[in-house]
Each structure stands twice: as C-alpha cells, then as structure tokens.
Amino acid sequence: MTATTVQNPLLIGAGLPPFDHIETDHIVPGIATLLEHLRTDLQGLEASVVPTWNGLVEPLTRIEERLGWSWGIIGHLMGVKNSPELRSAYEAVQPGLVQFSIQLGQSQPLYNAFRQLRASTEWDSLDAAQQRIVEASLREAELSGVGLEGAEKDRFNEIQQTLAELTTKFANQVLDATKAFRLVLTTAEEVDGLPPSLLALAAQAARDAGEVEANPEAGPWHITLDFPSYGPFMQHSRRRDLREKIYRAFVTRASEGDLDNRPLIEQILALRHEMANLLSYGTYAELSLARKMAPSVEAIDQLMEELRRASYDTAVKELADLKAFAAEKGAPEADDLTHWDTAFWAERIREEKYGLNDEELRPYFPLPQVLDGLFALASRIFDITIAPADGEAPLWHPDVRYFQVLNGSGDPIAHFYLDPYSRPAEKRGGAWMDTCINRGKVKGQVRLPVAYLVCNQAPPVDGKPSLMTFRDVETLFHEFGHGLQHMLTQVDHTGAAGINNVEWDAVELPSQFMENWCYHRDTLLTLARHYETGAPLPEDLYQKIVAARTFMTGSAILRQVRFGWTDLELHHRYQPGGETIAEVNHRIAAQCSVLKPLPEDAFLCAFTHIFAGGYAAGYYSYFWAEVLSADAFAAFEEVGLDNETAIAETGHRFRDTVLALGGSRHPMEVFKAFRGREPSTQALLRHRGLVAA
C-alpha cells in the first residue's frame, strides 16, 4: 500500500485508529493536508464565531478533536512502536503541529468570545461541566500567550517550538541509551543466583540480538537496562561486581557522548523559566501550579517535609538492618553496603524474614488469571463487565488485546487496548494509560470512550505465559484505575470527560486507589492461581505479602520525596550561574537520602517524567494524589472490606463521583462528594506503615 492509492488513514479523523493500514509514509503528507484543512476551519470559525456554547465551544471542540485524533495516533506509535523512520517523520511534522497549536491557543477572536460567553446571560444556564470548560479555556489561552504582543509573543512562540523539539530529543536519547547497553554473560558463575524467569528472558534477549543458539540453561545471557531485566538482576545476582557495573550504567544513562542529555536539561530549564517570566510568573513551578490543585509551592514543601520527617528515621533503620543482615551472613560488603547492594540484601531479608520472593510468587500470577481477577473486582465494586473483543479493532502489535466494558444492563459503555509486554527495541519503558477516543456527544449520539493501557512486564517465554511479579500486578491495577476514570465518565462534554480537565495532581487518585485492592485477601486469592496446577495462592503466602507491604517503606518514600523535591527545586529555585544541576541533585539527595548518590549519578538525564512527560514541576503529584487515594480507600475499609453489600454501595458512590464526574468539577468538590469531608494524610501514613493501624 502507498499513501497515494487510498485515502490517507491519518485523515479519517474519527473512530478506532486503522493501525493495520498506517505506514510511516502516511505521516508527512497526511499531517500536511490535515493542517491545511484545520487552518481553514479555524479561520472560518474566527470570522464567524458567536459567543455561545453552540457557536463557539462545539465547533472549536471539533477542530481540537480532529487534530487530537491524528496527532494522538502518531504520539502513541512513538511510545509503542518507535523506529528511526517514525522518528524522522515525527520530527518533520512536529514544527507545523506545534505552530498550529500555538495559533489555536493564541486566537484573539476565540479568547474574546470565551470572555463574552462568561459574561453573557447564557452563562447561568450552562451546567457545571460547561462552566469548567469555559474557565479552563480562558486560563489555557492566557497560559498559551494570548495576551502577549510583538517581540514577546514571537519569543514565546519560539520557545514553544524549541521545547517541543528538545523534549522529544530527550525521550529518544533515553530510549537509545537504554537500548545501547547490554551485559553479556557466558558462564554459570556469572549468572549465579539469577532465577529461571530472568535466565529465560536474558536468553531471549540474546536470541533477539542474533545469538540463535542461546538458551536459559547454557546461555549466553544478555542483561539489559530495561526494567524487567535490570530489576531482577539487581535483586538476585550474587556477583557484586556485575551489580555495580549495571547499576552504574543505569544511573548514568543518557549522560555521555552523543546521547548526553545534560545540555538538553540546561536548555529546557532555562526556556521554561523564560516562558514563565513572559507570562508574568516568577518561576516555571508557579506557572505549572496555575493548572493544578495544590495552592502553592509552599503547600507542596509542607507535604514533602511532613513525609520526609515521617520516613527518614525509618529509612535509617532499614539501612542498618540490611547491614546487620549482610554481616550475619558473612558478606564482606556488610560494612560498606552501597547502592548496588540494597536491592540484593533487601530481597534476601524478604526471603528470610517474610519467607517471600518474587520468583516464588510469579507462578501464581499468570497474566490471563490476573486479568480475570481484576475484571471480577471491577464487576463487584463498580457493577461493570469486561469481556474480550479481540478481532474488533486493528492492532499495532500481535501481543495487543482489545476489550469491551459493559454496564450492569449489558450495554457497551467503553473499550480499551492492553499492550502488556516489554519490547525494549521499540517501546519506551514504564507503564501508562492514554486516551484513544474521548466520550462525547456527536449528532445527539454518545460516543463511547476508548483507552490505551500500556505496561512493560516480562513477555511469555519458552511456552510459559507472562508470569508477573507482584509489582507488575500493582502496576496493572494502577493503569487500569486511570483507564476506569477515562472509561466510566458520565460527562458528555468532551472537554471535561474522563481525565480531561482534571487537575494534574489529582489525576493519580483512581490509579493509586486501585493498587490498594492488591492487598485485599479475597481479591488477591481470586486472581492468584498457579499457572500449571490452578491451585490458589496459599494462605501463608498471602499473609506474607501483607506483612511485607511496608518493608523498606521509609526508603521508598524518601526516594519519591527526593524526586519530587528535586523537580520542584529545579523549576522554582534553581538559577543558571549558581549551583550546577548536578549540585542541586546532590544537595536534595543529602536531605532526602540515607545513602548519598554516587558522584557520577546522573539520574536526571533519564528523568523523562519531568523533562519529556507531563510532570514538570508536578512530580509531587504522586504524593498529593496518594493522600486522596488512601483516604478514599479508607472509606471502603471503614464499612468492612468483606461486607459485600456495603462495598458495593461504596463502590457505586466512588464510581458515580470520582470516576463519573471527571473534570466537570474541581477535584476537592469531587472528593468531598464521595467522602463527605476534605482529605487527611492519616490513611496514607497508616498504609505506608508510618503510624499505627
């Protein structure tokens, strides 16, 4: 197929993306044609705009959705099917897309029409969602530079273009640096301690690299920096020198040679600061908070300090316990325990103290069974049914699944894709939910939402299903929670449906809420069955999982506090010409880490969340939202997690508020509608084991 023989699939503009027909060659001509049409539509709207909902918001939404449909497909493929050819096409069309987005955001006729609509007699007849959309549109226009003129406007627009290019380059270089490293192991001594699942994955990586005879028993084995490989290696390898080697490679990714992201960080921070100043904000963090729930930088500092104080002494004790345990086992490194030792010795304590290790659990968490258990939970608490719909949607990879979501009456209300497995050659790391199609009303008919759920767990190897770690299970529940908010929305105005128009620091509420169910006995015993025998997870293993929930919790909280505070420091207090970025990193680490980072630690060079994602001056959001999510789950605990009637009632209330209302109301209003009061940090501290249950 060529782009000239049939209609370019990127110009269809609605419905499920035709992944089976999209080729890289479609991107440049397709986007060029799309932008030509959209500019004409925008000019027509500007010339004839009427400051009413029907005369302004609805036609503008059609333009935005038409752009989002095509650009969303390309962005999605960049995450899951990256290639040099796709990057080249993406980079070719990105400037034009950014330019149009700027033109749209800075449209003075549309901005004036929004102001007139807010001041009109129609305003009081608009529902809460509509009013929130209008208010958000005004704010976004102002933050997009609609009020700038002359040289300031030109400079602002230049910054927008440059930042788009720099952040894309940053993400690509992290992916390339991750792919570039591999530790080749050839002897039994080098793989001492590695579990069978990792040996199978490492042999598969070797075969993918051309070692056609590689097998789990005899090797060779390739260990990569992709987390399903890196994480288990750090936990289980008995070769301390090899743990050190791979750890150093991990924390220095994208910090050297042609893939060095340090210059990009300097440029990104400087441009973000300049952009904030042009909009009359003192710092980029202040600009960022204009879109968020947190009232001020000081409020975030207060939360971070509360969590740091609550967890620091616990983290100190955890490190001391690791050292004592290593000494008890006669380890020569006991007095000098460092970064490449902590995961290894923590895993040994988990095995001995809790009788628990990931490899013992994996056979009980085959992906198909975990999905069955997750879907059963969703049915029980939200009164929905999830059923396979494979074959009903074009896919971008054979491993991808497609599902439909049915309401209590059996009617379809949403769909989602699931792309579960790691593919380090073409797929970025981590896990995420993204929107494919938003809910809305089109010609009087409700358009059903569709979500992308993407994970990076180990794939099926040697005839076995994908056997998940417990953390993989939590991650799947997390992303499914995001998906639920997108799919169960009852808002028909696209601009506030699902996660749209939800303040960024509240968007993790449903995802983190869902993680709590992984520790609920009936839920876990429903989804955990041995992949060979079908035997349920033994009761003693469940009790060990619960007992180990808060193991190393102080260290885990401090790590996240460090990341969040470093992000805030760089976007609020950092000034070029003063401390270097590396010095900021090490100063914050000195406050928030028990083990100080290595001198060459360059984790910021791979910190895609803040330099190539949506979390700039917003990484604190994970904790901000966890306060909400933990307190929300406490509502279920208070009525009794085994009280089916009360759980269903509470689940329906959660569905009808947090999940249904989306961005139609402020997150605090939504939370209070569910909980009946403002949130408290006590549930978070209790779940984390920092205060008594």
Side-chain angles (χ1 to χ4, degrees), residues 112-186:
N112 291 337
F114 272 113
R115 293 181 64 185
Q116 292 169 29
L117 173 56
R118 187 173 59 179
S120 72
T121 55
E122 183 185 4
W123 178 252
D124 289 338
S125 68
L126 299 181
D127 62 33
Q130 291 173 305
Q131 291 188 354
R132 282 259 296 173
I133 289 169
V134 172
E135 296 283 6
S137 298
L138 285 166
R139 182 191 66 223
E140 288 307 311
E142 291 159 5
L143 297 182
S144 296
V146 71
L148 300 177
E149 297 179 350
E152 286 190 340
K153 182 176 182 178
D154 291 341
R155 178 57 181 158
F156 183 87
N157 293 348
E158 181 184 356
I159 289 172
Q160 294 278 74
Q161 280 281 9
T162 305
L163 281 173
E165 295 165 7
L166 292 175
T167 53
T168 298
K169 185 176 181 181
F170 185 100
N172 285 340
Q173 292 190 169
V174 173
L175 179 62
D176 290 345
T178 301
K179 289 194 300 183
F181 177 90
R182 58 184 54 230
L183 183 64
V184 178
L185 309 178
T186 58

Side-chain angles (χ1 to χ4, degrees), residues 427-543:
K427 184 178 178 184
R428 68 179 170 91
W432 64 94
M433 188 284 294
D434 207 349
T435 61
C436 176
I437 297 175
N438 289 295
R439 181 181 169 110
K441 271 198 174 176
V442 180
K443 297 179 180 179
Q445 296 294 314
V446 174
R447 180 186 58 207
L448 302 184
V450 181
Y452 298 120
L453 303 185
V454 184
C455 297
N456 260 292
Q457 64 199 56
V461 176
D462 296 337
K464 297 179 181 179
S466 175
L467 301 179
M468 305 170 71
T469 67
F470 185 71
R471 181 60 192 144
D472 289 335
V473 176
E474 290 181 297
T475 299
L476 178 62
F477 272 60
H478 179 104
E479 301 309 333
F480 188 72
H482 281 308
L484 287 173
Q485 187 170 33
H486 174 68
M487 295 185 290
L488 300 191
T489 185
Q490 291 296 305
V491 180
D492 290 335
H493 307 297
T494 299
I499 64 171
N500 293 333
N501 206 37
V502 176
E503 279 74 358
W504 190 265
D505 42 7
V507 81
E508 297 291 338
L509 192 173
S511 54
Q512 293 175 331
F513 163 83
M514 286 298 295
E515 289 186 45
N516 289 285
W517 290 100
C518 296
Y519 295 91
H520 176 233
R521 182 180 182 280
D522 288 352
T523 299
L524 197 62
L525 295 183
T526 296
L527 62 84
R529 292 183 178 277
H530 197 283
Y531 78 101
E532 290 178 319
T533 67
L537 183 75
E539 177 68 24
D540 66 315
L541 281 183
Y542 165 70
Q543 295 298 338

Side-chain angles (χ1 to χ4, degrees), residues 572-594:
H572 187 61
R573 301 181 181 95
Y574 166 73
Q575 294 288 338
E579 285 181 295
T580 66
I581 289 170
E583 287 170 343
V584 172
N585 173 25
H586 285 263
R587 174 168 56 81
I588 299 298
Q591 301 171 16
C592 305
S593 303
V594 177

Side-chain angles (χ1 to χ4, degrees), residues 377-379 381-386 404-408 411-416 433 437 439 448-451 480-492 496-499 510 514 651-652 654-662:
L377 171 68
S379 176
I381 60 178
F382 300 131
D383 192 25
I384 58 174
T385 300
I386 297 168
Q404 63 177 335
V405 182
L406 311 171
N407 63 16
D411 303 315
I413 56 173
H415 295 81
F416 66 94
M433 188 284 294
I437 297 175
R439 181 181 169 110
L448 302 184
V450 181
F480 188 72
H482 281 308
L484 287 173
Q485 187 170 33
H486 174 68
M487 295 185 290
L488 300 191
T489 185
Q490 291 296 305
V491 180
D492 290 335
I499 64 171
M514 286 298 295
H652 293 172
F654 186 88
R655 179 196 65 195
D656 295 339
T657 53
V658 175
L659 300 180
L661 294 175

Side-chain angles (χ1 to χ4, degrees), residues 498-651:
I499 64 171
N500 293 333
N501 206 37
V502 176
E503 279 74 358
W504 190 265
D505 42 7
V507 81
E508 297 291 338
L509 192 173
S511 54
Q512 293 175 331
F513 163 83
M514 286 298 295
E515 289 186 45
N516 289 285
W517 290 100
C518 296
Y519 295 91
H520 176 233
R521 182 180 182 280
D522 288 352
T523 299
L524 197 62
L525 295 183
T526 296
L527 62 84
R529 292 183 178 277
H530 197 283
Y531 78 101
E532 290 178 319
T533 67
L537 183 75
E539 177 68 24
D540 66 315
L541 281 183
Y542 165 70
Q543 295 298 338
K544 290 171 182 177
I545 289 173
V546 173
R549 181 179 186 179
T550 58
F551 177 56
M552 299 295 289
T553 190
S555 301
I557 292 177
L558 277 189
R559 180 176 181 271
Q560 292 297 95
V561 168
R562 175 196 170 190
F563 290 172
W565 240 337
T566 302
D567 168 38
L568 204 61
E569 194 77 1
L570 290 174
H571 287 103
H572 187 61
R573 301 181 181 95
Y574 166 73
Q575 294 288 338
E579 285 181 295
T580 66
I581 289 170
E583 287 170 343
V584 172
N585 173 25
H586 285 263
R587 174 168 56 81
I588 299 298
Q591 301 171 16
C592 305
S593 303
V594 177
L595 272 178
K596 305 307 178 259
L598 301 178
E600 65 270 34
D601 181 292
F603 93 92
L604 288 173
C605 291
F607 201 177
T608 52
H609 274 76
I610 69 170
F611 294 119
Y615 284 86
Y619 196 83
Y620 76 90
S621 298
Y622 284 105
F623 276 136
W624 194 271
E626 190 176 349
V627 171
L628 305 176
S629 65
D631 204 355
F633 189 73
F636 289 79
E637 294 174 315
E638 288 163 11
V639 300
L641 292 177
D642 297 322
N643 183 334
E644 290 298 320
T645 301
I647 287 295
E649 291 173 353
T650 309

